[in-house]
């Protein structure tokens, strides 16, 4: 199973630096959360094994947050020599779809979106947002989108 760090590297590799795209730690955390949710909803299994914790500014993978905290609110560098071939087709599709759908939004817009969603709202601060809670919520979003 992939780690959150593996998935983070994929998101960072998708950054188009020439167009001015940037991913901060806050934005990366939210993209990971949405990718985990979509993967759970579609395939009934997690994209990565790391826990997602309910922090003040939304869902966070704590070890990854600390890894990238040295960049503050600035851009995390694009990884060199990233190899997407380690990912399955379904994993790549989920990551790239989340990047297309949510990568356009600012970190604060994504933060505010997660604050309106039940997995974060219903989880006490500094507690794990369970995979079952994430999966249940994102499955309702798939059904809602299918009905529209």
């Amino acid at each position: 199973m992939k780690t959150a760090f593996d998935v983070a590297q994929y998101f960072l590799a998708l950054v188009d630096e020439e167009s001015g795209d940037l991913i901060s730690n806050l934005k990366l955390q939210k993209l990971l959360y949405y990718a985990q949710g979509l993967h759970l909803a579609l395939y009934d299994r997690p994209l990565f094994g790391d826990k997602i914790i309910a922090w003040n500014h939304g869902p966070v993978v704590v070890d990854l947050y600390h890894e990238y905290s040295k960049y503050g609110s600035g851009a995390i560098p694009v990884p060199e020599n990233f190899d997407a071939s380690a990912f399955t087709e379904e994993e790549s599709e989920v990551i790239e779809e989340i990047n297309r759908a949510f990568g356009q939004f600012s970190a604060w817009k994504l933060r505010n979106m997660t604050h309106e969603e039940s997995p974060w709202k219903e989880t006490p601060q500094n507690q794990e947002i369970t995979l079952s809670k994430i999966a249940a919520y994102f499955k309702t979003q798939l059904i809602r989108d299918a009905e529209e």
Side-chain angles (χ1 to χ4, degrees):
M1 178 181 296
K2 302 296 181 295
T3 66
F5 186 79
D6 296 329
V7 177
Q9 291 289 291
Y10 201 133
F11 276 115
L12 292 168
L14 293 173
V15 169
D16 180 4
E17 292 179 294
E18 291 181 15
S19 70
D21 287 347
L22 306 172
I23 295 183
S24 65
N25 200 351
L26 181 64
K27 183 171 183 172
L28 182 60
Q29 294 291 335
K30 305 317 165 241
L31 293 173
L32 286 167
Y33 164 75
Y34 284 116
Q36 183 75 299
L38 181 59
H39 198 273
L40 284 164
L42 291 173
Y43 303 110
D44 292 314
R45 62 183 181 281
L47 177 60
F48 55 85
D50 307 75
K51 293 179 181 179
I52 297 176
I53 307 299
W55 273 14
N56 187 44
H57 292 298
V60 170
V61 176
V62 176
D63 290 342
L64 192 73
Y65 170 83
H66 291 301
E67 173 70 24
Y68 292 125
S69 63
K70 61 188 168 202
Y71 300 107
S73 61
I76 300 170
V78 173
E80 295 179 20
N81 304 319
F82 175 76
D83 182 9
S85 69
F87 289 78
T88 67
E89 185 176 339
E90 72 184 28
E91 291 166 341
S92 291
E93 286 175 358
V94 164
I95 293 165
E96 291 177 19
E97 177 59 27
I98 291 299
N99 192 62
R100 276 189 298 278
F102 295 95
Q104 64 185 309
F105 299 124
S106 72
W108 284 95
K109 167 78 173 164
L110 293 171
R111 174 224 182 253
N112 293 341
M113 288 166 53
T114 64
H115 280 219
E116 298 300 318
E117 298 165 357
S118 60
W120 181 85
K121 285 171 52 173
E122 296 172 2
T123 302
Q125 289 291 293
N126 301 314
Q127 298 296 310
E128 179 182 2
I129 304 174
T130 63
L131 293 176
S132 60
K133 196 176 283 188
I134 296 170
Y137 173 75
F138 279 88
K139 283 179 188 244
T140 66
Q141 298 308 296
L142 288 179
I143 292 167
R144 189 193 64 159
D145 289 348
E147 292 173 346
E148 290 181 351

